[in-house]
């Protein structure tokens, strides 16, 4: 089950799991073109709303036959702002976009995740340390990291592994348009990040849980 499947990273992750032959449900804002035909798309509203998250996750689990082996949660939000110029509303919005969506999604998914399953979230390499203009976003992503660490300990008796990947700048059309003068040669490709997601959801990563893994090299 993959949330945020309509974005550039989400599409790459969906494609990677579908190419491996996994049964995949893609949770999207609205149905998107270009995903593999075998992938069932589930339209969802704001995953920070517990009722909305439960409705979407229940539908996705039903499409998978009533159980989930891996949850890949890619939904989040970003905005650059200095501390001096930031508005309280921005901090609350980024907390909602990142922390509350992670919490709502995981809580809704847990009844469907079998023992030995995997949960993967997306943090940010920029969260520690945070650079200029990154405090609101880094604070929110730090919250995601703490959820991952605590949940890994809480789910250890069920052998459910919980990890987070920490990308830097992802090489997407949106980022290239937003930063036309930046050197994109060191940005990480969505396909490279998808490969890491594949590994962390696989049995080969059975010894890894509670990890915050930088994914920052040029892929």
């Amino acid at each position: 089950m993959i949330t945020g499947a309509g974005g550039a990273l989400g599409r790459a992750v969906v494609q990677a799991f579908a190419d491996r032959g996994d049964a995949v449900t893609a949770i999207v804002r609205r149905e998107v073109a270009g995903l593999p035909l075998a992938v069932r798309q589930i339209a969802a509203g704001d995953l920070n709303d517990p009722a909305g998250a439960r409705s979407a996750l229940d539908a996705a689990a039903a499409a998978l036959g009533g159980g989930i082996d891996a949850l890949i949660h890619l939904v989040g939000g970003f905005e650059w702002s200095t501390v001096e110029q930031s508005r309280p509303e921005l901090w609350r919005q980024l907390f909602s976009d990142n922390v509350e969506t992670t919490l709502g999604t995981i809580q809704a998914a847990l009844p469907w995740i079998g023992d030995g399953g995997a949960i993967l979230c997306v943090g940010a390499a920029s969260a520690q340390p945070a650079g200029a203009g990154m405090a609101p976003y880094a604070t929110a992503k730090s919250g995601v990291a703490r959820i991952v660490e605590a949940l890994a300990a809480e789910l250890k008796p069920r052998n459910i592994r919980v990890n987070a990947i920490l990308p830097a700048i992802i090489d997407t059309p949106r980022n290239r348009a937003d930063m036309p003068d930046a050197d994109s040669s060191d940005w990480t490709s969505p396909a490279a990040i998808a490969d890491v997601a594949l590994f962390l959801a696989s049995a080969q990563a059975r010894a890894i849980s509670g990890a915050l893994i930088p994914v920052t090299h040029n892929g």
Side-chain angles (χ1 to χ4, degrees):
M1 183 182 299
I2 300 167
T3 71
L9 177 58
R11 289 169 184 263
V13 173
V14 168
Q15 188 68 57
F17 278 89
D19 287 347
R20 193 171 69 177
D22 293 347
V24 178
T25 56
I27 297 179
V28 295
R29 281 281 192 175
R30 60 191 64 83
E31 189 166 336
V32 297
L35 296 183
L37 293 178
V39 172
R40 172 75 179 275
Q41 297 189 43
I42 305 294
D46 290 332
L47 294 176
N48 56 10
D49 172 57
R54 282 195 303 272
S55 177
L57 273 289
D58 287 354
L64 290 171
I68 304 168
D69 297 311
L71 168 67
I72 314 298
H73 177 61
L74 305 177
V75 171
F78 171 79
E79 186 170 333
W80 189 96
S81 179
T82 63
V83 172
E84 181 180 10
Q85 295 178 337
S86 63
R87 311 175 312 279
E89 294 79 11
L90 172 61
W91 294 76
R92 287 192 285 266
Q93 184 62 54
L94 291 178
F95 182 88
S96 180
D97 290 346
N98 294 283
V99 176
E100 290 183 349
T101 59
T102 299
L103 179 63
T105 298
I106 290 174
Q107 287 180 331
L110 277 175
W112 301 107
I113 299 177
D115 292 357
I119 298 172
L120 181 64
C121 301
V122 177
S126 60
Q128 187 177 353
M134 299 298 288
Y137 175 69
T139 298
K141 285 300 189 183
S142 293
V144 173
R146 303 295 81 78
I147 290 174
V148 165
E149 293 167 339
L151 194 61
E154 293 166 6
L155 296 180
K156 186 176 181 180
R158 293 183 56 194
N159 196 31
I160 295 176
R161 297 174 292 104
V162 188
N163 295 293
I165 52 175
L166 311 180
I169 301 176
I170 304 173
D171 191 359
T172 66
R174 170 69 181 273
N175 283 338
R176 285 179 177 257
D178 287 347
M179 296 176 278
D181 299 324
D183 179 6
S184 61
S185 62
D186 288 334
W187 297 1
T188 308
S189 72
I193 297 171
D195 286 342
V196 178
L198 277 177
F199 170 70
L200 290 172
S202 73
Q204 286 72 30
R206 61 189 178 276
I208 304 173
S209 189
L212 310 174
I213 301 171
V215 187
T216 57
H217 285 259
N218 181 358

